[in-house]
Amino acid sequence: MLSYTARRILIMIPTLLVISFLTFVIIRLPPGDYLTNRIAELKSEGDTAALEKAAFLRHQYGLDRPFIVQYATWVGLWPGDHGFSGLLQGDWGWSFEYDMPVKQVVGDRLMLTFILNLTTILFTWAVAFPIGVYAATHQYSWSDHGLTLLGYLGLATPNFLLALVLMYLANVHFGLSIGGIMDPHYLGRPWSWDKARSVLQHLWIPVIVIGTSGTAGMIRRLRANLLDELQKQYVVTARARGMPPFRLLVKYPLRMALNPFIADIGNLLPSVISGSAIVSVVLSLQTAGPMLLEALRSLDQYLAGSFLMFLSLLTVIGMFISDLLLAALDPRIRLSGGATK
């Protein structure tokens, strides 16, 4: 198990390098960049001082160099001018739109994004697991049909639409504003118990909105997998020999049905992240989503690239955790590279 974990960690390194290259390619696909557009505006305005600063930043971050040199400088594989060291050294670059380092721009947004996504995944598991097991063990009952209907409604309802409906109901019928992930006066302030309590008070609405579709889908998959296991011969034999139903369920079929449930961790994280970006815009959440969309629109490449790499890192970590849990849960999974007979 230790060697398997070490191999998976080593695989993560080239994976992140490939992701970083593809991320840089994507954010450089639109013609020009923020500074090029800004320099054109300053030339038309005749602002000499700002024009010199824009040209200085363009040279400092290698935007006047070939594409591959720009990528190597951004990652940290190529030394940048004037102390720019790259992602590998913890230097996320400069946000041209906000005119300050990316680390200062993002502030608490990355932490709040991580908290929101992690809480959504925990909510998904906590709700989907008992409902999926109950629906499978009470097949074709009224409760199973009702849960199936709710599952289909959850899958069919877009997250942003559910967010709009909840905002409307809260505002019209209760006079409440459910936007934001904390009280406005805590924005930009250091973390404290009061700030953490404010986040927890505002967190449950976006968690329910973002986690609805993922929860519904996971319920359907867990129910189908468990039903398949319950109909196999070993379960019939154990039931005929008088094994108690709960012990039979937990010891054999439930463990086998958990494999796809655990494997969904790697797929659930990117879907939660992509869904949270749009919901964050609708609910005015102070997470990475709204700022990422604005950075992509304004061609603020270092700000956009830093957000995308952070979200990609969460996805890779999710896949890593999924693989480790699968290897620990099911001894039938081979941890070695090839099979021997």
Side-chain angles (χ1 to χ4, degrees):
M1 186 68 179
L2 184 60
S3 61
Y4 173 75
T5 304
R7 286 200 308 270
R8 290 293 290 113
I9 294 176
L10 292 176
I11 292 174
M12 290 170 62
I13 297 175
T15 301
L16 289 173
L17 285 176
V18 172
I19 292 175
S20 68
F21 181 77
L22 294 177
T23 299
F24 195 77
V25 169
I26 292 173
I27 62 178
R28 293 289 295 163
L29 278 179
D33 54 60
Y34 182 88
L35 289 179
T36 301
N37 300 335
R38 183 59 179 161
I39 288 174
E41 294 177 2
L42 293 174
K43 283 183 178 180
S44 63
E45 297 172 359
D47 191 345
T48 306
L51 184 62
E52 291 177 355
K53 181 177 181 180
F56 168 77
L57 289 174
R58 183 173 177 81
H59 176 69
Q60 177 181 359
Y61 290 96
L63 299 181
D64 54 351
R65 297 179 179 180
F67 171 82
I68 193 65
V69 177
Q70 293 184 36
Y71 165 72
T73 303
W74 177 59
V75 175
L77 302 176
W78 185 279
D81 295 334
H82 307 287
F84 177 53
S85 52
L87 291 177
L88 294 178
Q89 302 297 326
D91 188 349
W92 296 357
W94 189 271
S95 172
F96 304 121
E97 183 178 6
Y98 293 89
D99 196 22
M100 62 177 62
V102 171
K103 283 186 177 180
Q104 296 182 16
V105 174
V106 297
D108 292 335
R109 288 180 181 263
L110 293 183
M111 176 61 69
L112 292 173
T113 302
F114 175 76
I115 293 174
L116 176 61
N117 292 327
L118 178 62
T119 308
T120 302
I121 292 175
L122 294 178
F123 167 79
T124 301
W125 291 342
V127 175
F129 184 78
I131 293 179
V133 173
Y134 181 84
T137 54
H138 296 76
Q139 187 181 17
Y140 302 138
S141 63
W142 284 107
S143 56
D144 182 28
H145 289 306
L147 293 173
T148 299
L149 176 61
L150 291 177
Y152 285 137
L153 290 176
L155 288 173
T157 305
N159 291 335
F160 70 90
L161 179 60
L162 180 59
L164 291 173
V165 171
L166 289 179
M167 290 180 65
Y168 173 79
L169 294 176
N171 189 20
V172 172
H173 296 283
F174 300 100
L176 299 176
S177 175
I178 59 174
I181 201 170
M182 67 177 73
D183 292 331
H185 63 274
Y186 289 115
L187 295 176
R189 297 178 59 180
W191 281 93
S192 62
W193 284 111
D194 292 335
K195 183 175 181 178
R197 190 181 303 111
S198 177
V199 171
L200 293 177
Q201 290 173 351
H202 290 75
L203 193 62
W204 63 277
I205 289 291
V207 165
I208 293 176
V209 171
I210 300 170
T212 298
S213 60
T215 302
M218 189 164 287
I219 289 173
R220 302 303 304 160
R221 287 190 293 273
L222 180 60
R223 177 183 179 277
N225 295 329
L226 188 54
L227 281 176
D228 181 63
E229 291 294 327
L230 288 174
Q231 295 172 3
K232 290 185 177 179
Q233 187 62 43
Y234 74 91
V235 177
V236 177
T237 303
R239 188 180 294 117
R241 297 183 63 179
M243 180 175 288
F246 181 77
R247 182 184 175 189
L248 171 62
L249 175 68
V250 173
K251 188 173 182 180
Y252 295 113
L254 186 57
R255 285 189 60 189
M256 299 300 102
L258 281 179
N259 281 4
F261 190 81
I262 298 299
D264 274 342
I265 296 175
N267 299 325
L268 182 63
L269 190 55
S271 64
V272 166
I273 291 173
S274 60
S276 64
I278 302 177
V279 172
S280 297
V281 175
V282 175
L283 292 177
S284 301
L285 303 180
Q286 296 83 13
T287 56
M291 186 172 284
L292 172 60
L293 294 178
E294 183 60 32
L296 292 173
R297 184 165 50 189
S298 64
L299 301 181
D300 195 353
Q301 64 182 53
Y302 289 111
L303 180 59
S306 299
F307 276 133
L308 291 174
M309 282 305 301
F310 174 75
L311 300 180
S312 300
L313 177 63
L314 290 183
T315 303
V316 172
I317 292 176
M319 297 294 293
F320 173 70
I321 295 174
S322 174
D323 290 344
L324 291 185
L325 291 177
L326 279 175
L329 179 67
D330 193 347
R332 299 174 302 176
I333 296 178
R334 296 182 182 272
L335 305 184
S336 59
T340 58
K341 294 183 178 180

